[in-house]
Amino acid sequence: GKRLEGKTIVITGASSGIGRSTAAEFARTSPNNLRLILTARRIDTLKQIAADITKEVGDGVKVLPFQLDVSKPEEVSSFVEKLPEEWRDIDILVNNAGLVKGVARAPDIAAEDINVQFATNVTGLINMTQAVLPIFKSRDEGGKGDIINIGSIAGREPYAGGSIYCATKAAVRSFTDALRKELIATRIRVIEIDPGQVETEFSVVRFYGDRSKADAVYAGCEPLTPDDIAEIIVFAAGRRENVVIADTLVFPSHQAAAGVMHRKV
Ligand code: NDP
Ligand code: 8X3
């Protein structure tokens, strides 16, 4: 509610899944005065999502769809200066864009898959953070703003067939923890949220568009929905300024570890 009023929020990977749900959840929670910058590669999808949000909550929430590939360093470094002036005073960055490619094991992992996962999940997240931090640091008390990084259970518990993805999420975790220490003298909150199994386009992307393989991942399971994670992200952002939800691991009931799932058959 009130604590989010007037904020400008950037969400990466807002065209699908957790990012898309997070945009809608911010809008519902603070419908009167909010600016949402929705970024991803699929600009037409972002425009549709922006229209849907306006239809749902009205124009108290201003939504800016912005095409941005976080794996392209030059797009990220010019992102802030390309924003219209009234959109540059960013308060919250949700680093959500990310992907997994394949289930191959070493030595058979495609170079392209290795590179795209690191370029998006790790370098993209770091570059976005560096692009936005100067805005946060320019504020009083050493700086103010929220960086919310989406990690994963995979970053805590590596599994066979996910070595690269798991390594990227472990890197997110390390970067996030170091950053929180670097910003100790500021009011900048560094927040990590680590979901377990959430049903989104994640597995469709993992299996290069093969929906039946993606569906098999969730067969007999009751995964989280992207809205479940969105609620937690918005809750974390809406706490009193002195409260940092530093680190959160979120499972559905029938999951207890990366590969420990109770399946109904
Ligand atoms: P989705 O595939 O549904 O959404 C991923 C989003 O990331 C899309 O909006 C996609 O947009 C965007 N994206 C991918 N590559 C880029 C890029 N280079 N530049 C900008 N945006 C990009 O998956 P989820 O919602 O599940 O994933 C969101 C985050 O949650 C990821 O970081 C993922 O690792 C993490 N996560 C997911 C879990 C799950 O089980 N689903 C569990 C734990 C963590 P576009 O294609 O338009 O660019
Ligand atoms: C997604 C969770 O365990 O399917 O980040 O890789 S897992």
Side-chain angles (χ1 to χ4, degrees):
K2 282 260 184 288
R3 291 194 192 119
L4 293 171
E5 258 178 40
K7 303 281 188 196
T8 299
I9 301 166
V10 178
I11 302 171
T12 67
S15 61
S16 170
I18 294 168
R20 178 191 187 133
S21 284
T22 300
E25 183 65 18
F26 270 120
R28 283 182 210 117
T29 305
S30 187
N32 298 323
N33 180 10
L34 204 67
R35 286 180 187 273
L36 289 177
I37 304 169
L38 306 187
T39 75
R41 293 167 301 179
R42 283 172 287 177
I43 185 68
D44 292 340
T45 309
L46 292 175
K47 286 178 183 164
Q48 187 55 53
I49 291 166
D52 291 346
I53 288 174
T54 302
K55 202 172 162 197
E56 187 182 338
V57 304
D59 58 10
V61 178
K62 305 257 181 306
V63 192
L64 180 68
F66 193 102
Q67 186 170 39
L68 176 63
D69 182 339
V70 298
S71 74
K72 303 240 167 78
E74 63 286 358
E75 285 190 27
V76 175
S77 60
S78 62
F79 161 67
V80 172
E81 70 197 33
K82 281 188 185 146
L83 290 173
E85 181 91 48
E86 66 275 22
W87 290 86
R88 284 186 209 154
D89 194 24
I90 297 163
D91 298 289
I92 301 171
L93 169 64
V94 183
N95 274 320
N96 163 78
L99 79 181
V100 64
K101 283 283 186 183
V103 289
R105 301 174 179 210
D108 300 319
I109 310 169
E112 195 188 320
D113 288 348
I114 298 171
N115 293 337
V116 74
Q117 290 177 83
F118 274 100
T120 309
N121 304 3
V122 184
T123 314
L125 177 146
I126 293 168
N127 288 345
M128 280 303 296
T129 303
Q130 296 220 96
V132 170
L133 255 183
I135 300 166
F136 291 4
K137 293 200 87 170
S138 71
R139 302 195 174 112
D140 58 4
E141 292 192 79
K144 212 168 276 193
D146 296 337
I147 296 166
I148 304 181
N149 292 340
I150 308 307
S152 171
I153 177 61
R156 306 187 187 208
E157 238 194 274
Y159 56 87
S163 60
I164 305 307
Y165 179 70
C166 294
T168 68
K169 291 298 185 178
V172 166
R173 191 161 177 75
S174 267
F175 176 72
T176 305
D177 287 345
L179 184 66
R180 194 178 303 108
K181 291 171 185 170
E182 290 175 0
L183 296 172
I184 189 74
T186 76
R187 290 279 187 188
I188 299 167
R189 300 190 294 192
V190 182
I191 293 166
E192 176 163 329
I193 295 171
D194 290 353
Q197 195 180 56
V198 189
E199 190 166 5
T200 62
E201 289 177 18
F202 179 82
S203 293
V204 178
V205 171
R206 165 167 254 167
F207 293 109
Y208 312 99
D210 186 330
R211 285 206 174 258
S212 61
K213 281 189 181 162
D215 289 345
V217 171
Y218 307 111
C221 295
E222 191 185 334
L224 296 168
T225 71
D227 287 352
D228 295 327
I229 302 303
E231 286 178 10
I232 293 165
I233 292 168
V234 174
F235 179 83
R239 292 313 85 209
R240 203 166 59 82
E241 187 177 273
N242 199 31
V243 180
V244 184
I245 301 188
D247 199 6
T248 307
L249 177 62
V250 190
F251 286 133
S253 313
H254 294 319
Q255 181 175 18
V260 179
M261 225 79 73
H262 173 72
R263 286 180 198 265
K264 284 176 230 150
V265 274

